[in-house]
Amino acid sequence: MMADPFEVRMRFTAQLQHLNASITSSQKAAHYALKYRDMDEDLHSCILEQLERNNMNNRANILYFIEQFCEMATKEDHLPYVHMIQRDILRVVDCVAPADGSGAANVKHVRRVLNGLQAKEVLSAETVAEIHAGLKDRETHPAHLDLEAEEEEEPGSKSKTGTPRGMKANGIRVDKRQIEQRIEEDRERNKRLRESMWTVRGDDSDEHRKFWDETSDIGEDDFTTAHEELMERNEMINAV
């Protein structure tokens, strides 16, 4: 029986919306898209739509999914998915780390995934270098977790302080749950990357040095900073 295109699209969209830092969630979504590869253009459009509509946490998760997806699509010899990612990579980057600085916290993740896509020969070294150069300006913005509120507020409604709801406090949109989620997911990714690093044989090998260069940009200092930011945001939330 032929699958209903609308149902396939909705189920894939739901999987993208519920991605997390685990490889399992990315693999599950990738397997689903490859199962319905005859709808590749439509499912690719779902990826772009969710990158544009979701908060910065979800966008980072979808970015990591894209790397996993390209690897699996290449192994299964379904290159149209890979070609569409190559074509739209700038659009993907602009969604995950927008030029307005609202995704400054995602720049490190974008760099890591770009390096991964280059290593997997999905992107050329020239393309990656060009995008890296363009990301420098986006790193000059305050590296805060500018995460969108999940719950929609009524237009014109005000908080207890008299400030219109949905506006940023001191340039930062506060959402405690998303900040905590982001810290946990970053910790999970960092743990997985460190575990993978130790599986590389030979401390002096070129592969080991390359892996270290690609993964060592997140360390304990980053988590300490993120924790301090969380404490500051908690104080802001409690003060409202």
Side-chain angles (χ1 to χ4, degrees), residues 126-157:
E126 293 77 13
T127 296
V128 171
E130 182 179 348
I131 298 175
H132 276 325
L135 288 172
K136 290 182 179 179
D137 292 337
R138 306 183 190 193
E139 289 179 311
T140 61
H141 294 271
H144 57 69
L145 299 178
D146 184 19
L147 307 172
E148 298 171 359
E150 290 184 354
E151 297 181 0
E152 296 183 359
E153 304 288 355
E154 294 182 6
S157 62

Side-chain angles (χ1 to χ4, degrees), residues 56-115:
M56 289 300 165
N57 273 4
N58 292 56
R59 295 182 194 190
N61 290 334
I62 293 174
L63 178 68
Y64 280 101
F65 156 75
I66 286 174
E67 181 181 1
Q68 181 78 30
F69 186 32
C70 285
E71 181 178 7
M72 292 174 62
T74 300
K75 289 181 179 179
E76 294 203 16
D77 197 29
H78 189 69
L79 297 182
Y81 275 130
V82 178
H83 294 158
M84 285 185 279
I85 292 297
Q86 292 170 330
R87 180 194 67 199
D88 295 325
I89 190 61
L90 290 178
R91 184 175 173 184
V92 170
V93 170
D94 285 340
C95 286
V96 181
D100 63 5
S102 60
N106 281 341
V107 172
K108 288 183 179 180
H109 299 288
V110 171
R111 290 189 181 281
R112 181 173 295 111
V113 169
L114 288 175
N115 290 339

Side-chain angles (χ1 to χ4, degrees), residues 8 15 24 26 54 61 102 110 121 127 146 150 162 167 179 201:
V8 171
Q15 290 179 344
T24 302
S26 291
N54 277 280
N61 290 334
S102 60
V110 171
E121 299 184 344
T127 296
D146 184 19
E150 290 184 354
M167 293 184 65
I179 295 168
R201 296 181 178 179

Side-chain angles (χ1 to χ4, degrees), residues 1-12 32 36 38-39 42-43:
M1 182 181 296
M2 187 174 182
D4 176 61
F6 178 77
E7 181 179 357
V8 171
R9 182 184 178 90
M10 292 301 293
R11 291 196 176 193
F12 184 57
Y32 189 84
Y36 295 102
D38 56 318
M39 296 175 55
D42 196 28
L43 296 183

Side-chain angles (χ1 to χ4, degrees), residues 64 104-116 132 135 139 186 189-190 193-194 197 209-223 225:
Y64 280 101
N106 281 341
V107 172
K108 288 183 179 180
H109 299 288
V110 171
R111 290 189 181 281
R112 181 173 295 111
V113 169
L114 288 175
N115 290 339
H132 276 325
L135 288 172
E139 289 179 311
D186 283 355
R189 291 192 184 98
N190 187 64
L193 287 169
R194 297 302 182 189
M197 181 184 68
R209 288 197 299 272
K210 180 178 180 181
F211 192 89
W212 178 264
D213 289 340
E214 293 177 359
T215 61
S216 61
D217 56 337
I218 288 185
E220 292 302 321
D221 289 343
D222 296 283
F223 292 127
T225 300

Side-chain angles (χ1 to χ4, degrees), residues 164-204:
R165 294 186 183 278
M167 293 184 65
K168 299 176 183 177
N170 297 324
I172 302 173
R173 189 181 295 277
V174 179
D175 190 306
K176 178 180 177 181
R177 182 171 57 180
Q178 289 186 31
I179 295 168
E180 292 174 338
Q181 176 188 351
R182 178 55 172 270
I183 291 174
E184 289 300 319
E185 290 185 341
D186 283 355
R187 182 179 292 115
E188 173 64 25
R189 291 192 184 98
N190 187 64
K191 177 182 177 182
R192 189 168 66 245
L193 287 169
R194 297 302 182 189
E195 290 174 349
S196 299
M197 181 184 68
W198 290 113
T199 64
V200 180
R201 296 181 178 179
D203 290 346
D204 298 325

